[in-house]
């Protein structure tokens, strides 16, 4: 697995010194790798399944929790502080509301962290602990990507999953403290370009952004493997208000009992069906949304 995490940073053109431009150019190759898939097109056609959408929400919960906790620890770090927008961008609470909607008040006893998600989380923790400037790459890639692509995903998911028009289950995609997404992204870009970073540090930030894409792709690939063994009856016409029984039967969600490692191991052997492709479509569509951010 480590061999697949090698950096492949696309060189930027002469005079491209703004970090936002370097990030866009440096991640272009891996960005295309993530978006040039039929999964994205499948999602945009509305081929979404509730259970698989929920799995994506679970993974996002662990990723954002780790990232935001590390951001809080480093909010005054001079190489990150200008990008500290907790009111506008933090997603932990919204993801908690989404998980409560999908699983009920005891959702914490039903969800677990997959091995690939855990590796991603551990990398975020290490960056925050050992090299906080790398949090710039994590915040920029995840938060700005989800802010951009999330608006498209929210509309598609709400229609396809028949979610309530009042927004339950989609709080993650609702940035109610941002009145103009375009204006906010312009502000964010100006802040990231104003960071006092030398050329070598900028190069390391770009390389870390490539790793962020790679970690997400690993999550997709893990879920794809898991998706090959799921029983179809787990996913047959599950309604929004009768999903808890089916979920409790899926070992992937259990964080207790046999322990986290055991739960993830069981999960690797328990999910699988062509419908599993839908989840990856959702994740990849979120990454594809980064294109809108880059091109603005």
């Amino acid at each position: 697995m480590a061999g697949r995490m090698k950096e492949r940073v696309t060189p930027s053109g002469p005079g491209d010194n703004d970090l936002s431009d370097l990030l866009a150019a440096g991640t272009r190759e891996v960005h295309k790798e993530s978006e040039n898939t039929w999964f994205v097109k499948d999602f945009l056609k509305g081929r979404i399944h509730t259970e698989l959408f929920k799995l994506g929400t679970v993974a996002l919960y662990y990723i954002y929790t780790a990232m935001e906790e590390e951001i809080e620890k480093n909010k005054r770090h001079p190489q990150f502080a200008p990008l500290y927008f907790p009111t506008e961008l933090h997603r932990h609470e919204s993801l908690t509301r989404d998980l409560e909607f999908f699983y009920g008040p005891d959702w914490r006893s039903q969800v677990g962290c997959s091995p690939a998600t855990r590796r991603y989380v551990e990398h975020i923790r290490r960056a925050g602990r050992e090299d906080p400037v790398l949090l710039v790459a994590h915040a920029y890639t995840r938060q700005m990507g989800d802010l951009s692509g999330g608006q498209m995903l929210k509309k598609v998911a709400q229609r396809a999953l028949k979610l309530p028009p009042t927004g339950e289950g989609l709080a993650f995609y609702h940035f109610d403290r941002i009145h103009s997404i375009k204006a906010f992204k312009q502000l964010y870009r100006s802040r990231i370009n104003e960071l006092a970073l030398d050329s070598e540090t900028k190069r390391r930030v770009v390389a870390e952004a490539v790793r962020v894409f790679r970690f997400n792709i690993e999550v997709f690939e893990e879920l794809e493997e898991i998706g090959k063994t799921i029983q179809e009856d787990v996913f047959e016409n599950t309604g929004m208000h009768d999903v808890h029984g089916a979920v409790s039967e899926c070992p992937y969600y259990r964080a207790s009992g046999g322990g986290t490692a055991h739960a993830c191991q069981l999960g690797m052997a328990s999910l699988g069906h062509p419908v599993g492709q839908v989840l990856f479509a959702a994740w990849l569509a979120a990454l594809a949304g980064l294109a809108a951010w880059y091109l603005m």
Side-chain angles (χ1 to χ4, degrees), residues 91-106:
R91 301 284 86 198
H92 173 86
E93 293 302 322
S94 61
L95 284 163
T96 298
R97 293 198 301 274
D98 287 341
L99 291 174
E100 287 175 348
F101 172 75
F102 286 122
Y103 298 120
D106 64 337

Side-chain angles (χ1 to χ4, degrees), residues 146-194:
D146 292 328
L147 176 62
S148 298
Q151 306 315 298
M152 172 182 60
L153 282 176
K154 178 173 66 175
K155 294 177 182 178
V156 175
Q158 191 165 40
R159 265 196 320 269
L161 299 177
K162 296 180 175 61
L163 293 170
T166 46
E168 286 89 342
L170 295 169
F172 172 73
Y173 303 103
H174 186 58
F175 294 80
D176 56 350
R177 299 300 180 91
I178 297 177
H179 302 297
S180 168
I181 291 177
K182 181 177 181 179
F184 183 82
K185 289 192 293 188
Q186 290 173 340
L187 169 64
Y188 197 94
R189 179 183 280 118
S190 69
R191 291 284 188 91
I192 205 169
N193 289 336
E194 291 168 5

Side-chain angles (χ1 to χ4, degrees), residues 103-114:
Y103 298 120
D106 64 337
W107 63 269
R108 286 181 175 84
S109 68
Q110 301 182 51
V111 303
C113 184
S114 74

Side-chain angles (χ1 to χ4, degrees), residues 10 38 44 76 96 119 142 148 155 170 185 228:
T10 304
W38 68 268
L44 294 177
R76 293 185 177 87
T96 298
R119 287 190 292 273
R142 274 245 67 99
S148 298
K155 294 177 182 178
L170 295 169
K185 289 192 293 188
K228 293 176 181 177

Side-chain angles (χ1 to χ4, degrees), residues 2-234:
R4 298 171 66 182
M5 298 298 295
K6 292 181 179 178
E7 303 169 21
R8 298 179 65 187
V9 181
T10 304
S12 58
D16 291 337
N17 295 319
D18 285 345
L19 182 54
S20 64
D21 292 334
L22 293 173
L23 282 163
T27 59
R28 187 169 292 123
E29 181 179 337
V30 70
H31 186 190
K32 288 180 179 178
E33 181 180 339
S34 68
E35 70 177 350
N36 287 338
T37 170
W38 68 268
F39 292 139
V40 175
K41 296 176 182 178
D42 210 47
F43 178 84
L44 294 177
K45 291 177 182 177
R47 297 174 183 171
I48 314 171
H49 194 284
T50 302
E51 293 297 327
L52 296 173
F53 187 81
K54 287 159 57 179
L55 273 177
T57 305
V58 170
L60 284 170
Y61 170 79
Y62 286 107
I63 292 165
Y64 265 90
T65 297
M67 184 173 68
E68 290 172 8
E69 287 178 355
E70 294 307 317
I71 285 174
E72 284 297 321
K73 293 175 186 175
N74 293 280
K75 63 185 178 183
R76 293 185 177 87
H77 192 286
Q79 293 179 319
F80 183 83
L83 300 181
Y84 182 62
F85 291 98
T87 302
E88 294 87 353
L89 294 176
H90 279 197
R91 301 284 86 198
H92 173 86
E93 293 302 322
S94 61
L95 284 163
T96 298
R97 293 198 301 274
D98 287 341
L99 291 174
E100 287 175 348
F101 172 75
F102 286 122
Y103 298 120
D106 64 337
W107 63 269
R108 286 181 175 84
S109 68
Q110 301 182 51
V111 303
C113 184
S114 74
T117 302
R118 188 181 299 110
R119 287 190 292 273
Y120 188 174
V121 165
E122 289 171 352
H123 186 82
I124 293 171
R125 300 287 190 191
R126 186 161 53 252
R129 182 175 62 251
E130 300 176 1
D131 200 359
V133 70
L134 297 183
L135 292 175
V136 172
H138 288 269
Y140 174 87
T141 305
R142 274 245 67 99
Q143 293 177 331
M144 290 298 98
D146 292 328
L147 176 62
S148 298
Q151 306 315 298
M152 172 182 60
L153 282 176
K154 178 173 66 175
K155 294 177 182 178
V156 175
Q158 191 165 40
R159 265 196 320 269
L161 299 177
K162 296 180 175 61
L163 293 170
T166 46
E168 286 89 342
L170 295 169
F172 172 73
Y173 303 103
H174 186 58
F175 294 80
D176 56 350
R177 299 300 180 91
I178 297 177
H179 302 297
S180 168
I181 291 177
K182 181 177 181 179
F184 183 82
K185 289 192 293 188
Q186 290 173 340
L187 169 64
Y188 197 94
R189 179 183 280 118
S190 69
R191 291 284 188 91
I192 205 169
N193 289 336
E194 291 168 5
L195 292 173
L197 307 179
D198 58 29
S199 297
E200 173 58 22
T201 303
K202 289 180 179 179
R203 188 202 67 79
R204 292 195 301 108
V205 170
V206 174
E208 184 72 359
V210 173
R211 291 191 191 97
V212 174
F213 273 98
R214 290 292 175 196
F215 276 115
N216 280 282
I217 289 172
E218 285 192 8
V219 172
F220 310 153
E221 291 173 342
E222 175 192 66
L223 291 171
E224 184 173 8
E225 289 303 310
I226 293 172
K228 293 176 181 177
T229 58
I230 194 167
Q231 296 298 313
E232 184 170 1
D233 57 0
V234 175

